Amino acid sequence: MRIGALGQVTGVDPETIRYYERIGLLPAPTRRANGYRAYGPAHLERLAFIRHCRALDMPLADVQRLLHLLDHPLDDCQDVDRLIDTHLAHVQGKLQSLQALARQLEQLRGRCHGQHATAECGIMHELVAAAQGENCVCHGSSVQAPLKNMWRPESQTG
Amino acid sequence: MRIGALGQVTGVDPETIRYYERIGLLPAPTRRANGYRAYGPAHLERLAFIRHCRALDMPLADVQRLLHLLDHPLDDCQDVDRLIDTHLAHVQGKLQSLQALARQLEQLRGRCHGQHATAECGIMHELVAAAQGENCVCHGSSVQAPLKNMWRPESQTG
DNA sequence: TAAAAACCTTGTAGTCACTATATGGTCAAG
DNA sequence: CTTGACCATATAGTGACTACAAGGTTTTTA
């Protein structure tokens, strides 16, 4: 099958398939007389595997490692477990921070109702407050340094 | 103050500050005789504002728009509201899909306990199942196309 | 006073996983 | 014979940095 068909079957853009080949994730297939790539079932299987891992948001480096383990099925599967554990921890961490972020944005959004000039907008005031080093609805205090007299010519930092 | 001090106060890497200047997010400061950048309070304020928006995971393009609104405080703040709303919706969408992803990975992880060869690993079997077009613990069926006879020489696609 | 460390400058390339564009060859249908 | 869909390559762009190279300056230390 040609690259377009493979792309349709797997749901992977042909450009992306070529990209996978370029970075060594998918083995280069044989070519026809006209130079077109000719894929077989092995390629389809491998690409579907890659696509599934990507759907699970695994980085391509991890996918590469899993493919290697697939090619060497006698190795200990602890490597697989560790990889999935690490990835899961990563995803969970991201989830936590995203939840906190959503809460912050919701609070921020609640600062403004109706229409008025930007100068009176609660959201803007809130965002600017952070630049002043005050406590904001979002973060405790993002700028802790004393903003006293760091404007002197040079080098007397205290 | 010099770029290092500004970076320390705001918690932004000097390389990043120069990057912000390059892309027009932070105005270019005056230079000293030796060519060093000399920042004033206005720069600090602006950079802290940027940093705060970035902490809220806003894209720099959005930050740019907010900065423009800051510079034109008489504009209607509806633009601010819309921007925050859009961003919040984006974050909430990402949150949803990340939650689904975490669930999927947890299920996948549960497929393997103890150590054995990769060939017997439940995780690997699960991942490979997707490549076979079967229903997996993660997705309904990621490959729906009939995998019958698409291996014929060429172009008779049915 | 000299050397070393820390800082600054510019420019360029690398990251990740694509995505888009340019330019041209191949093939089937009308 | 032309239109359109498909394929090929190479290159550059995305976002938001990060790292490096190769040099100049300032501060600290011995």
Side-chain angles (χ1 to χ4, degrees):
Chain A
M1 70 197 311
R2 299 189 313 192
I3 199 169
L6 181 64
Q8 274 220 313
V9 174
T10 56
V12 179
D13 191 278
E15 295 272 21
T16 304
I17 298 175
R18 281 191 277 262
Y19 167 72
Y20 286 163
E21 180 183 326
R22 209 159 58 240
I23 64 172
L25 204 60
L26 201 61
T30 56
R31 300 292 184 115
R32 313 206 176 189
N34 58 13
Y36 288 14
R37 290 171 176 82
Y39 292 100
H43 286 101
L44 169 53
E45 216 171 286
R46 205 171 178 88
L47 183 55
F49 181 89
I50 295 169
R51 175 167 157 34
H52 187 67
C53 291
R54 286 295 301 138
L56 293 172
D57 206 28
M58 290 184 205
L60 290 184
D62 282 14
V63 181
Q64 186 77 286
R65 284 176 54 200
L66 286 179
L67 284 169
H68 177 85
L69 292 169
L70 255 187
D71 295 337
H72 302 83
L74 295 180
D75 291 5
D76 194 336
C77 90
Q78 273 200 310
D79 289 345
V80 178
D81 291 10
R82 258 198 303 274
L83 192 149
I84 300 294
D85 281 345
T86 304
H87 182 53
L88 181 54
H90 178 76
V91 167
Q92 281 167 340
K94 219 161 130 183
L95 191 57
Q96 294 266 324
S97 62
L98 210 56
Q99 274 165 344
L101 176 57
R103 272 196 304 275
Q104 287 163 8
L105 279 170
E106 277 155 19
Q107 283 200 51
L108 184 61
R109 182 59 185 87
R111 293 275 157 159
C112 177
H113 316 279
Q115 49 203 116
H116 33 68
T118 306
E120 277 87 46
C121 177
I123 290 176
M124 275 310 216
H125 275 258
E126 196 65 44
L127 287 172
V128 170
Q132 315 287 331
E134 294 167 21
N135 278 20
C136 58
V137 82
C138 311
H139 307 102
S141 62
S142 61
V143 180
Q144 305 96 327
L147 298 177
K148 292 171 295 190
N149 53 359
M150 41 184 49
W151 307 113
R152 306 242 207 78
E154 177 96 310
S155 80
Q156 53 259 51
T157 328
Chain B
M1 70 196 312
R2 300 191 312 193
I3 198 169
L6 181 65
Q8 274 220 313
V9 174
T10 56
V12 178
D13 191 277
E15 295 272 23
T16 304
I17 298 174
R18 280 191 279 262
Y19 166 73
Y20 286 163
E21 179 182 327
R22 207 160 58 242
I23 64 171
L25 204 60
L26 200 62
T30 56
R31 300 293 183 115
R32 312 205 176 191
N34 58 12
Y36 288 14
R37 289 171 177 80
Y39 292 100
H43 286 101
L44 169 53
E45 216 170 286
R46 205 169 179 91
L47 183 55
F49 181 89
I50 295 170
R51 175 165 157 38
H52 187 66
C53 292
R54 286 295 302 139
L56 293 172
D57 205 29
M58 290 184 204
L60 291 183
D62 282 13
V63 181
Q64 185 77 285
R65 285 177 54 202
L66 286 179
L67 284 170
H68 177 85
L69 291 169
L70 255 186
D71 295 337
H72 302 83
L74 294 181
D75 291 4
D76 194 335
C77 90
Q78 272 199 311
D79 288 345
V80 177
D81 291 10
R82 259 198 302 274
L83 192 149
I84 299 293
D85 282 345
T86 305
H87 183 53
L88 181 56
H90 178 76
V91 166
Q92 281 167 340
K94 219 162 131 185
L95 192 56
Q96 293 265 323
S97 61
L98 210 55
Q99 273 164 344
L101 177 58
R103 273 197 301 276
Q104 287 162 9
L105 279 172
E106 277 155 17
Q107 282 199 52
L108 185 62
R109 182 60 185 86
R111 292 275 157 160
C112 177
H113 316 278
Q115 49 201 118
H116 34 67
T118 306
E120 277 85 46
C121 177
I123 292 175
M124 275 310 215
H125 276 257
E126 196 67 43
L127 287 172
V128 169
Q132 314 287 334
E134 296 165 21
N135 278 20
C136 60
V137 82
C138 312
H139 309 102
S141 61
S142 62
V143 180
Q144 306 97 326
L147 298 177
K148 290 172 295 189
N149 54 0
M150 43 184 46
W151 307 114
R152 307 245 209 76
E154 176 96 312
S155 79
Q156 53 258 49
T157 329

